[in-house]
Amino acid sequence: MKKFLLMGMTALLALGLAACGEENTQSSTEPKEDPKPAEQKEVSNKPEKTENGDIVFTKAGQKGEVDGGTLELLKIKNVNETIDISPLKVTVKEIKLFKKTDMDEATKEAYKMYNDGKAIGDELIYVQVSYDAENLEEKNIGWNSLLNAITDKGQQIDVDMNDMIYTDSDGSSEFLGKVTKEYTDGFVVKDADISKIKFVWGSTYDTDSYENITEEQQVEYSF
């Protein structure tokens, strides 16, 4: 009797194993889908370069080697706003806050003249602002562009006297008829954590009589 029971259990076990084996065989023959490539983008903190090899900083945190040291973009404000200083239409494009380090002594010495003659330490903090000015009339006028900057840290900068970026538009304050000039100004600031800055824009004036047409204008920007 025990012998027949043992044989029966052995047969059932064999059938169970056979069934499991059959299931495994069937599942292994099912087609598998190949994995699809993920949608990925390269993450880079390097500044862009133009066709001429010039470095362009477009995002905060970008850092690159430039003449005289290492430059890092701390903050950027894309403004794209116009200011009415009739007959001029001034368009402020962007404001950038930079930090320059790893400067040699010659570079530090060159920047002293833009820092009220004071020595430059291990880092230089400065603001760069880009803007256009368009004369809407045929009449010749004069304009002294950006005069002053006031930070929310209580510093006032005479931009007109301490502009460290020279462009062709700085060569003359006169607009001969309906022309547009492009400007880029740069000036040293004491604090890297500024969040607001006021700009005082110069008045427009008649180049024959030197009488003001539109008075100075003040505009505040936030990073």
Side-chain angles (χ1 to χ4, degrees), residues 114-151:
Y114 306 110
N115 192 38
D116 295 327
K118 299 176 183 177
I120 301 295
D122 294 332
E123 63 181 33
L124 174 74
I125 309 298
Y126 72 92
V127 171
Q128 176 181 302
V129 52
S130 301
Y131 55 99
D132 297 337
E134 178 185 3
N135 185 10
L136 301 178
E137 297 182 1
E138 293 290 353
K139 179 180 180 179
N140 298 346
I141 66 160
W143 185 54
N144 291 321
S145 62
L146 181 56
L147 299 179
N148 302 102
I150 304 97
T151 72

Side-chain angles (χ1 to χ4, degrees), residues 43-163:
V43 179
S44 175
N45 207 31
K46 295 180 180 180
E48 301 173 5
K49 285 189 177 182
T50 65
E51 294 180 356
N52 298 327
D54 298 327
I55 296 178
V56 181
F57 295 83
T58 58
K59 294 185 294 185
Q62 289 179 333
K63 185 183 293 187
E65 300 300 320
V66 297
D67 291 340
T70 302
L71 197 60
E72 180 182 358
L73 179 59
L74 301 178
K75 295 181 180 181
I76 182 171
K77 172 72 172 181
N78 294 310
V79 182
N80 195 30
E81 293 179 356
T82 60
I83 307 165
D84 181 12
I85 316 177
S86 182
L88 286 186
K89 182 179 73 173
V90 179
T91 303
V92 181
K93 294 183 287 187
E94 60 184 14
I95 306 169
K96 296 178 179 180
L97 182 67
F98 283 106
K99 178 173 70 174
K100 193 168 187 177
T101 55
D102 302 326
M103 296 174 287
D104 54 32
E105 292 305 317
T107 301
K108 292 180 181 180
E109 188 66 24
Y111 279 122
K112 279 179 62 176
M113 65 181 295
Y114 306 110
N115 192 38
D116 295 327
K118 299 176 183 177
I120 301 295
D122 294 332
E123 63 181 33
L124 174 74
I125 309 298
Y126 72 92
V127 171
Q128 176 181 302
V129 52
S130 301
Y131 55 99
D132 297 337
E134 178 185 3
N135 185 10
L136 301 178
E137 297 182 1
E138 293 290 353
K139 179 180 180 179
N140 298 346
I141 66 160
W143 185 54
N144 291 321
S145 62
L146 181 56
L147 299 179
N148 302 102
I150 304 97
T151 72
D152 58 343
K153 299 300 179 182
Q155 182 185 5
Q156 178 175 320
I157 303 100
D158 186 342
V159 179
D160 189 41
M161 296 296 295
N162 294 287
D163 182 10

